[in-house]
Amino acid sequence: MPDTQALVNDFLNKLKKRKIEGSQATAKQTAELLRSVISQTRMPYTNQASALIHSVKAVGERLIAANPVELAVGNVVRRVLHIIREEDLSLTTAAMAGLNLSAESDDEDDTDRDNHPALSAAAIAAASRSTLRPPSLQTLLEDVPDSAAVPHTSSSGGDSEGKSKSADKSSRSRKLKHDVIEAVNELIQDISTCRELIAEQAVEHIHQNEVILTLGSSRTVLEFLCAAKEKKRSFRVFVAEGAPRYQGHLLAKELVTRGLQTTLITDSAVFAMISRVNMVIVGAHAVMANGGVIAPVGLNMVALAAQKHAVPFVVLAGSHKLCPLYPHHPEVLLNELRSPSELLDFGEFSDCLDFGSGIGAPLLHVVNPTFDYVPPKLVSLFITDTGGHNPSYMYRLIADYYSADDLVLERRTASGN
């Protein structure tokens, strides 16, 4: 089996050098890496969940630092941490339920167990969701007095009891890791199929003879539009070219190849054309906890034009793009600057340098941001692999995927040292 550290280092290099294109591919590879980390983590005798959480956090912090702009990495790390907590809670609740059932079936020799009331489900859940967990839920099970657990019989019986108890702990350790890996496999499957699940909803939103506007290139938008075409919907697509990378040219070509009526326009023509449009459908880089969208540069302009003309602005995003952080959060890096060569070639740029000053200081500065931030008030609807949602509901949907204890990974680790 490949060494985990080698896998982590290789993936870190890919993130730093931006060799992985797209949030979906990044999220899937992150989940696969964390699955390998979990499978090769040595489980201690107690606090198995804490050991898994520590291993995932240690790797996750390095992955996030390697490419802070790719929020899908942090999203998947937090999703896996949430999975560990939920599986640990499930096993602990089941164990405590079994303990209560055995207590009810004991004979009168075990009446002294009444002095040790069973923990409520709320207490178990609260203890399980605690990050530091002193004592852990595993310890809660281990600390039940012997007199309350099993009546003393003989020394040989005690030895047998100890072996059985040790076997139960070993079995629980294997069960936790197995359940977590199975849940991570389901997460990987969800990431892989999110585009198909989003595309299945296209026929509910795109109607006959409508005009759809989009900007740049998004594989999710492409599959969404093509799914509507396959359902015999006849409509036209306006594609803004998405300067300076002109990804809209690629999308327009792909749409034409698949038989859709397509019109390519410049970004500056969006406001002039928006009055003819029935709906704006775009992809997203990330969806924040407040319903705001980090999207390719230029989309805020499109959203403002859509609001001015009362045109619905619809955002397509897989669940791996739902980020539990807010835009003002210090861990969120909203933007990065791309190379000036996408706007000017180096020959033109060198002509603008003031060599007479002797320091070669440029008189011309080129700013080439990658993303825009679209506030939630400009978004009409989110379509995810779980269905359509209003921006005001996104915080509740995000809360189902993440634990509050994992929102700030670095601060939590620092406080624990």
Side-chain angles (χ1 to χ4, degrees):
M1 201 168 192
D3 177 55
T4 303
Q5 193 59 43
L7 293 175
V8 171
N9 291 335
D10 180 63
F11 190 61
L12 284 172
N13 289 332
K14 291 181 179 179
L15 288 176
K16 291 177 181 179
K17 296 177 181 179
R18 308 299 197 264
K19 288 187 175 181
I20 306 175
E21 288 287 338
S23 296
Q24 185 184 35
T26 304
K28 183 178 179 181
Q29 292 186 37
T30 301
E32 291 172 345
L33 175 64
L34 294 180
R35 180 182 59 186
S36 299
V37 171
I38 292 171
S39 66
Q40 297 189 32
T41 297
R42 291 189 175 184
M43 303 292 280
Y45 192 63
T46 60
N47 296 335
Q48 290 89 1
S50 296
L52 291 180
I53 289 173
H54 176 75
S55 297
V56 172
K57 276 189 174 183
V59 174
E61 289 177 15
R62 298 174 63 192
L63 299 182
I64 294 172
N67 189 355
V69 178
E70 186 53 82
L71 298 179
V73 174
N75 296 343
V76 171
V77 171
R78 294 180 177 93
R79 285 282 296 272
V80 172
L81 290 172
H82 180 68
I83 286 172
I84 296 172
R85 297 181 190 278
E86 288 297 304
E87 294 299 334
D88 184 47
L89 174 63
S90 176
L91 286 177
T92 303
T93 304
M96 295 304 295
L99 191 63
N100 291 338
L101 288 176
S102 65
E104 294 175 0
S105 63
D106 282 344
D107 55 21
E108 63 271 6
D109 292 338
D110 298 314
T111 55
D112 59 335
R113 174 171 285 196
D114 296 336
N115 297 327
H116 303 278
L119 292 176
S120 66
I124 296 171
S128 178
R129 292 191 176 97
S130 173
T131 304
L132 299 180
R133 296 196 294 180
S136 69
L137 290 172
Q138 179 69 24
T139 308
L140 290 176
L141 295 178
E142 296 165 1
D143 287 346
V144 177
D146 292 341
S147 59
V150 180
H152 293 286
T153 55
S154 63
S155 59
S156 61
D159 294 340
S160 176
E161 174 193 346
K163 292 179 180 179
S164 175
K165 188 174 181 181
S166 176
D168 289 343
K169 291 175 184 175
S170 177
S171 175
R172 173 184 164 80
S173 174
R174 292 193 300 270
K175 173 77 171 161
L176 176 62
K177 181 182 285 190
H178 175 269
D179 290 351
V180 169
I181 291 176
E182 285 298 312
V184 173
N185 286 336
E186 293 178 6
L187 172 61
I188 295 173
Q189 181 65 21
D190 291 342
I191 295 172
S192 300
T193 60
C194 68
R195 286 175 181 160
E196 291 78 3
L197 294 175
I198 293 174
E200 290 175 0
Q201 306 170 57
V203 71
E204 303 173 10
H205 300 278
I206 298 178
H207 304 97
Q208 195 73 8
N209 298 323
E210 286 191 332
V211 177
I212 308 299
L213 172 67
T214 188
L215 180 142
S217 179
S218 166
R219 176 61 61 176
T220 305
V221 172
L222 173 63
E223 297 300 334
F224 191 82
L225 297 175
C226 291
K229 175 68 167 56
E230 293 172 359
K231 295 296 183 180
K232 307 303 180 184
R233 292 283 195 268
S234 177
F235 58 94
R236 174 174 288 276
V237 183
F238 287 174
V239 180
E241 58 184 358
R245 301 180 68 193
Y246 301 106
Q247 294 294 307
H249 296 180
L250 302 178
L251 178 62
K253 182 178 180 180
E254 186 67 27
L255 290 173
V256 171
T257 301
R258 300 208 189 183
L260 279 82
Q261 302 178 55
T262 306
T263 301
L264 183 66
I265 63 174
T266 62
D267 297 342
S268 57
V270 167
F271 207 99
M273 304 295 291
I274 195 72
S275 60
R276 309 181 188 182
V277 172
N278 299 106
M279 183 185 302
V280 176
I281 299 178
V282 298
H285 177 70
V287 178
M288 310 308 294
N290 66 336
V293 180
I294 299 178
V297 66
L299 273 181
N300 188 56
M301 170 193 68
V302 176
L304 289 171
Q307 183 191 51
K308 182 69 175 180
H309 289 266
V311 175
F313 187 88
V314 179
V315 177
L316 311 182
S319 57
H320 61 278
K321 294 186 178 182
L322 305 183
C323 180
L325 305 178
Y326 288 84
H328 55 76
H329 197 283
E331 279 194 14
V332 177
L333 184 59
L334 288 178
N335 222 329
E336 68 176 352
L337 300 179
R338 298 184 62 86
S339 171
S341 63
E342 293 181 348
L343 299 178
L344 298 173
D345 63 40
F346 289 108
E348 296 178 64
F349 189 71
S350 62
D351 293 341
C352 300
L353 295 177
D354 184 9
F355 293 103
S357 63
I359 58 174
L363 298 177
L364 174 66
H365 296 270
V366 179
V367 179
N368 184 17
T370 304
F371 301 113
D372 258 346
Y373 173 70
V374 182
K377 65 181 181 180
L378 300 181
V379 180
S380 305
L381 181 70
F382 287 100
I383 300 178
T384 73
D385 39 328
T386 61
H389 307 285
N390 289 325
S392 59
Y393 182 76
M394 295 309 293
Y395 82 96
R396 184 66 188 88
L397 183 65
I398 288 173
D400 293 336
Y401 292 132
Y402 303 99
S403 170
D405 295 325
D406 303 320
L407 298 186
V408 185
L409 298 180
E410 293 184 7
R411 184 180 303 172
R412 176 69 63 181
T413 301
S415 63
N417 288 340

